[in-house]
Structure formats: structure tokens, C-alpha cells
Amino acid sequence: VLLLIVIAVAAAVLVYMWTVGYAIQMRPTTPEAPERLKIEAGSLYVSGSDVVAELYVRNIGGALAHVRNAYLLTAAGEVVGSVLVDSTIDVGKVEAITVTFEGAASSLALGRPYIVRVVTSLGVESAIALKAMKAPSALISVYEFHPSSYEMLRGIYVSGRLPESLKGVDGDCFVADAEPIQAEGSYTPSWLNVLEGSITEGDVEKLSSNDDQYLVVKPTHPPPPRKLSLSVGGSSNTARWDRLVWGASFKFDKSGVSVTLQLYNYAEGRYPTSGDGFISCTSQANVEQLVKQTITSSSERFRAADGSWRMLINATAVPEFDAYFDYVFYNVTYTAIYIVQPIFIFAGLKTDGVTVKLAVDVASKYNLSSLPVEVALWNYRASRWDVAYSYASNPSPGQLDAIRFEVASGAADYVSGSGEARLYVKATSSTGPFRQWIDLLRLTQCVR
Ligand SMILES: [Ca+2]
Ligand SMILES: [Ca+2]
């Protein structure tokens, strides 16, 4: 209890001291002149034989401030230059004041700090320490643009208005879905088993191409009906398939040989005897026949989990015969990757001056994690896309990535003579479909 009382007393004393101290501090130093100034920023540079100070001065007092004098001093307080000023600053406002100290350049050392002080008509002053610099060669103007139109190079437009939706990070987005890009795979047999019959010429290599080089097989077990049977297979991929086209090309030296081709159905664990995965035909003497089937639904049934496949070929006839197999094929079409790649067109860029720098801001998100994203600018001089920035999207799907990059070298090449610039934001996925949201897209042009 005693300790608590001691703490309470100590706290009360502290509060008292703080209040008194505060009151003393708040008492105006010049009660008859409620002017107060603050130089918030500035630059000091040599221009010919003169020294120029650019100052941003705020009136933080309670009355109109009249700035009447400016002084340039060394760090030691020695006056290097003084000049009359005539600038009035409203309460709370900032004025940009440029003062020129004529002929002061000779007494200034570049890179050293100097003090610039401004004084009002009532003697209120403010000072800032600035380093003496070389004169900027020319003024640089900065302009901001948002895209006014787009072209969808890859992807499907969903929603979002240009340029409104891209003006700020506000949840109002330009939205596009990735487009599936088809690929094809051709898988020739890599192994062969003759179950009935015997090979009289050729091997599995002969079955890999359409080249009139044959694997020749004849039945070995008379009496009739004579029969041969072989299985071939290989390995394919494990992608999601849109279509499987399979079959073989062969000829027989006799007519009337009945031939069946069967593709192993791994889902059912057997060779089908009708429908998908089953082909039958009858031979014509010495005429090469191409038989094939296209499977469009659940064609992945006809491959194992590791992508391997196998085909069974049977041929039966009463008379003795020779079979000539030219090639066996197993071709698939599948979605290899998904790409979204909208091109945004910026119009009205400045063409009266040299573009010395471009800066690009993109705030975007995706519903898949860690997608490779690249932002490219169209190079009008070289007629090509230059990838200016690439990154992986957020590992958390739906989280916004805000990126900014600048192009300084050759920046003028990215602005056309008519004041147009083009940019794309491309994302790629090899795992599945996805959506792109672009919340902010801004192009900043710096012109000299
Ligand atoms: Ca062949
Ligand atoms: Ca937006």
C-alpha cells in the first residue's frame, strides 16, 4: 500500500511538472508577432556565376507572413550572399520561393553544406542546411497515365472497365481468365511381345514409323484356324488428355484374315471387346490398311498411373498367312499450359521532349499460388517485346502483389511518335486454369 502511495505521489508530481513545462514552452517568444515559418525542403545549386536556392516555405503561424530577406551562410555562419525577397504566405500554406544570390558562385564549394535563412518583415526567421550542387541540366516533368484500351493476346476477358478500374488499388479490377494452350504427344512402341506366332523379320523399331519397313509375323501353330497374337506398348505422359488417337497400319498376304486391336483399359483392368479401345477389321490381300480410333472421353483410362500403355493385336484365318506390321501409333492431345496475357495500350504520352524515364506500377493477384509473371514493354524502335520485370506471384492465392519498376536506359524507345505505349502482364501455369485480377496499372513518364 505504501509503495502504491509513493508511486501515486510521484506520478502527480510528474504530471504537474509536465504541465508547467508545457505551458512555458507554449508561451510565444514574440507575442506581438504570431508569425512562424518553416522551410520544409529545398535545393541549392550553382547556375553560372550565381547561386540559386529553391525553397518550400510553410507559414505555420497564425497570421499572413511576409518574407523579405534571404541569406546564404557558410556552416560557420559567415554570410556569403544576401538578397531581397517579396513573398507573402497565407496561414498554413506552402510557397515555393526561388532566390538567386548573384555572383555568389565563386565563394561556394560544391558538395559542402550551406545554410539558407529567410526572414519576414517582422524579423521571424527559418533556416535550412543544404548541400551545394551542380545545376540540373534541365527541368524534368512527370506525367501519369492509365491504359485506355486493351488487346487480349492470350486469355479470356471477364470484367473491368478501362481506365477507371486501373486508376487505384480499390478492389475494382480488370479481370481475365487464362487460356488453355494445347499440345500434342506422339508415343511410339518401345517394347513388343509375340504371344502366338513367330517373327520372321524386323523388330519393335520397325513399328515406330510409317516407312514401309515391316515387322513380319506368321502363325506357328497349325492346324486351322491359324492365329497370331502380339502385344506392344510404351510410355506416354500423365497430363490431362483431351483426346487419344490410336491404331496401326499393316497388310496381309491373304484376304479374309480377321484382325482385332485392343487397348488395355487400366481403369477396368482388361482389354475391351467393344467400344473405346477396340478395333476390328478384315484383310484384303497385300493391301496396307490403316485402322484407327479417336477417344475423346476419359482417354486417360487407357494409360497406367505412370503413363505406360499397351496394345494387343490378334489375327486369325483358316489358311496359312503372313502379317506385315508397318507402324503402331498412340497420339494424345492435352492442355500443356494456361496463359493469360492482356496487352494494355496507353495513349496521349508526351512527345514534345525526351522521355528519360518510364516507371510502371502494377498491383495484381491470382487465384493460384506462385505463378511466374512477366511485364513487358513494346519497343517501337526494335519492334519487339522487352520483358522489363518478372516475378513470382504471391504464394497465398488471392493476395495482391504491388510491383514497381523503372526503365531509364532507352526509355524513349517505348514511346511511339504518336504518344502511345504498350505493355503486357503475362502469367503462366502448368497445373491448371486460373484467373488474373489487375487492380492498378499506371505508367509514369518523365520528360526533359
Ligand atoms: Ca515401319
Ligand atoms: Ca482498381
Side-chain angles (χ1 to χ4, degrees):
V1 175
L2 186 64
L3 185 65
L4 280 177
I5 291 167
V6 169
I7 290 169
V9 169
V13 169
L14 280 174
V15 166
Y16 173 74
M17 286 172 69
W18 178 78
T19 309
V20 169
Y22 188 69
I24 289 165
Q25 271 188 348
M26 283 304 286
R27 189 181 298 156
T29 46
T30 48
E32 69 283 2
E35 276 187 349
R36 289 181 75 198
L37 293 180
K38 185 170 190 279
I39 303 177
E40 295 191 326
S43 59
L44 184 69
Y45 55 88
V46 173
S47 175
S49 61
D50 303 333
V51 174
V52 178
E54 289 179 345
L55 306 170
Y56 295 89
V57 187
R58 187 183 294 277
N59 180 353
I60 56 170
L64 210 60
H66 305 280
V67 178
R68 287 292 173 263
N69 299 84
Y71 299 93
L72 178 64
L73 305 101
T74 64
E78 190 188 334
V79 177
V80 178
S82 75
V83 68
L84 290 174
V85 181
D86 182 15
S87 182
T88 304
I89 312 174
D90 287 336
V91 175
K93 292 285 163 44
V94 174
E95 282 293 325
I97 301 175
T98 301
V99 291
T100 303
F101 300 100
E102 287 179 8
S106 57
S107 40
L108 210 76
L110 288 176
R112 298 276 292 277
Y114 291 84
I115 292 160
V116 180
R117 178 184 293 157
V118 294
V119 186
T120 70
S121 54
L122 297 178
V124 173
E125 58 181 58
S126 179
I128 187 169
L130 296 169
K131 206 177 265 187
M133 311 292 281
K134 273 194 225 168
S137 55
L139 287 178
I140 288 175
S141 305
V142 176
Y143 306 93
E144 286 187 355
F145 301 91
H146 299 279
S148 51
S149 60
Y150 75 94
E151 287 169 14
M152 200 60 85
L153 193 61
R154 295 274 197 195
I156 302 126
Y157 168 81
V158 175
S159 66
R161 280 195 310 143
L162 294 178
E164 282 71 22
S165 61
L166 295 174
K167 278 185 174 165
V169 176
D170 52 6
D172 184 10
C173 299
F174 180 90
V175 188
D177 281 337
E179 180 184 315
I181 307 300
Q182 295 290 102
E184 291 188 352
S186 180
Y187 302 100
T188 55
S190 55
W191 59 265
L192 161 75
N193 286 333
V194 178
L195 307 172
E196 282 187 68
S198 65
I199 296 175
T200 59
E201 193 186 323
D203 54 23
V204 67
E205 279 293 309
K206 295 272 191 292
L207 294 177
S208 65
S209 58
N210 175 12
D211 54 6
D212 291 334
Q213 296 196 38
Y214 298 96
L215 170 77
V216 185
V217 188
K218 58 170 29 196
T220 46
H221 298 296
R226 295 171 174 87
K227 198 176 172 191
L228 67 79
S229 179
L230 54 128
S231 68
V232 296
S235 53
S236 64
N237 68 24
T238 56
R240 200 172 70 193
W241 291 348
D242 299 312
R243 194 172 66 210
L244 164 63
V245 183
W246 68 284
S249 186
F250 47 77
K251 64 182 180 183
F252 290 83
D253 62 345
K254 302 276 181 352
S255 300
V257 180
S258 68
V259 186
T260 62
L261 287 83
Q262 293 163 288
L263 207 51
Y264 193 78
N265 184 328
Y266 289 84
E268 294 179 2
R270 65 185 181 91
Y271 284 105
T273 50
S274 66
D276 283 348
F278 181 83
I279 302 173
S280 68
C281 67
T282 305
S283 74
Q284 295 170 270
N286 299 310
V287 174
E288 183 152 339
Q289 289 168 283
L290 170 67
V291 297
K292 66 176 181 178
Q293 185 184 54
T294 299
I295 301 172
T296 53
S297 71
S298 309
S299 50
E300 300 89 347
R301 289 174 289 166
F302 300 100
R303 69 162 189 229
D306 66 355
S308 61
W309 58 273
R310 55 191 155 125
M311 188 190 301
L312 181 65
I313 303 172
N314 285 305
T316 318
V318 173
E320 195 149 351
F321 63 88
D322 285 347
Y324 296 79
F325 296 97
D326 191 350
Y327 65 104
V328 164
F329 56 94
Y330 187 95
N331 299 339
V332 297
T333 306
Y334 57 99
T335 300
I337 48 172
Y338 289 82
I339 300 177
V340 65
Q341 192 175 11
I343 297 173
F344 295 99
I345 299 136
F346 297 80
L349 273 74
K350 301 296 171 187
T351 52
D352 52 344
V354 179
T355 299
V356 291
K357 190 167 82 177
L358 290 173
V360 175
D361 289 277
V362 185
S364 62
K365 62 182 181 178
Y366 299 88
N367 58 349
L368 286 184
S369 66
S370 306
L371 296 176
V373 182
E374 63 180 38
V375 185
L377 288 162
W378 179 254
N379 186 324
Y380 288 89
R381 199 160 67 101
S383 292
R384 59 157 194 249
W385 288 105
D386 288 341
V387 175
Y389 195 86
S390 53
Y391 65 102
S393 73
N394 206 294
S396 303
Q399 292 297 303
L400 209 62
D401 297 302
I403 61 125
R404 180 185 173 86
F405 63 88
E406 294 182 347
V407 177
S409 125
D413 296 347
Y414 302 105
V415 180
S416 80
S418 61
E420 186 191 87
R422 290 173 162 250
L423 172 155
Y424 72 63
V425 183
K426 176 187 180 185
T428 310
S429 163
S430 54
T431 55
F434 67 92
R435 181 166 282 189
Q436 174 189 59
W437 287 264
I438 302 178
D439 205 340
L440 167 73
L441 187 51
R442 180 171 55 213
L443 181 67
T444 306
Q445 183 191 23
C446 301
V447 180
R448 185 163 65 207

